[in-house]
Amino acid sequence: MIFAAGLGTRLRPLTDTMPKALVPVGNEPLLGHVARRLHDAGFGRAVVNVHHFPDQIIHYLHTQPVEGMEFLVSDERDMLLETGGGLRKAAPLFDADSPVLVHNVDIFSNADLRALYDGATDDATLLVSQRPTSRYLLFDDDMRLKGWTNVQTGEVRSVYNDLDPDRCQRLAFSGIHVLAPSMLRLMQSWPQRFSIIDFYLAVCDKMVVRGAVQSGLRLLDVGKVNSLAQAEEFANSLKMSK
């Protein structure tokens, strides 16, 4: 699944007239770059959720297809459901017996998506890294998710009342993760709109939510207008490395 429903407020004024997913990086929009990465990793179908300028994204999917990729649309134009709610709504579009790889549309990376997917044997596998940020996921020595912290404010969230953040590994979420069908079934009892990170934090004591680290991982969050030139360089470097 490609999360493409966001408002893209940090990319204004571009997103005043187009969805974030169609903001161009070089000769291709963000959505096209991510779709090609998934195709190159051997995936033949992607669910794309839409909300902001949804008809523009649907038109793009119908007219600028990535050869060999089938696209299904999960329409959220009536309400933006956030990441967890978006997955919950899209669940009927997935293969009920297979894990789902989820990829934010504004993330560029050199991640080995096929290795992440094939190695995901837990209820959820989150690609994480040591990139600097203010918000980290907290993992134990077995890379089991235990909580979340904001290092600037000192806030800690966890279902474990005795959690000591200083004894945990602090790793940054990449926006790329794999969910087993067990997680999709569990979230059916959740409200219509919720964050996938809130969901993971709430169920990590009952389900196995594990972090995965890949050697040499490079990530770029294309969240602001001034990051677009850097994203084009990143995309070109990925093409050259094939």
Side-chain angles (χ1 to χ4, degrees), residues 99-102 116-117 120 122-126 176-180 200:
V100 177
L101 185 144
V102 183
L116 179 70
Y117 186 83
D122 299 308
D123 295 301
T125 303
L126 285 56
I176 304 171
H177 45 127
V178 180
L179 294 87
Y200 286 148

Side-chain angles (χ1 to χ4, degrees), residues 46-137:
V47 174
V48 180
N49 65 342
V50 298
H51 172 78
H52 187 52
F53 295 112
D55 292 328
Q56 290 188 32
I57 296 179
I58 293 170
H59 177 75
Y60 172 79
L61 293 176
H62 287 164
T63 60
Q64 302 290 332
V66 175
E67 187 175 353
M69 283 286 287
E70 176 190 3
F71 294 101
L72 304 176
V73 173
S74 181
D75 199 323
E76 299 178 23
R77 73 181 70 211
D78 293 335
M79 180 191 297
L80 186 59
L81 300 176
E82 298 188 42
T83 48
L87 268 166
R88 182 180 183 274
K89 179 179 175 62
L93 300 175
F94 303 135
D95 182 340
D97 299 321
S98 301
V100 177
L101 185 144
V102 183
H103 199 303
N104 288 2
V105 78
D106 55 3
I107 295 297
F108 277 36
S109 83
N110 65 342
D112 188 333
L113 300 177
R114 174 51 61 180
L116 179 70
Y117 186 83
D118 289 346
T121 57
D122 299 308
D123 295 301
T125 303
L126 285 56
L127 182 63
V128 292
S129 73
Q130 295 181 332
R131 67 179 176 85
T133 182
S134 60
R135 300 178 179 121
Y136 290 97
L137 295 176

Side-chain angles (χ1 to χ4, degrees), residues 16 19-21 28 31 55 78 84 97 112 120 143 149-150 153 156 159 167 170 184 194-195 207 211 216 227 235:
D16 288 338
K20 174 173 64 174
E28 193 163 34
L31 178 56
D55 292 328
D78 293 335
D97 299 321
D112 188 333
M143 291 298 289
T149 186
N150 184 322
T153 65
V156 176
V159 291
R167 301 188 67 178
R170 298 179 180 180
L184 293 170
F194 62 96
S195 159
M207 312 296 282
S227 66

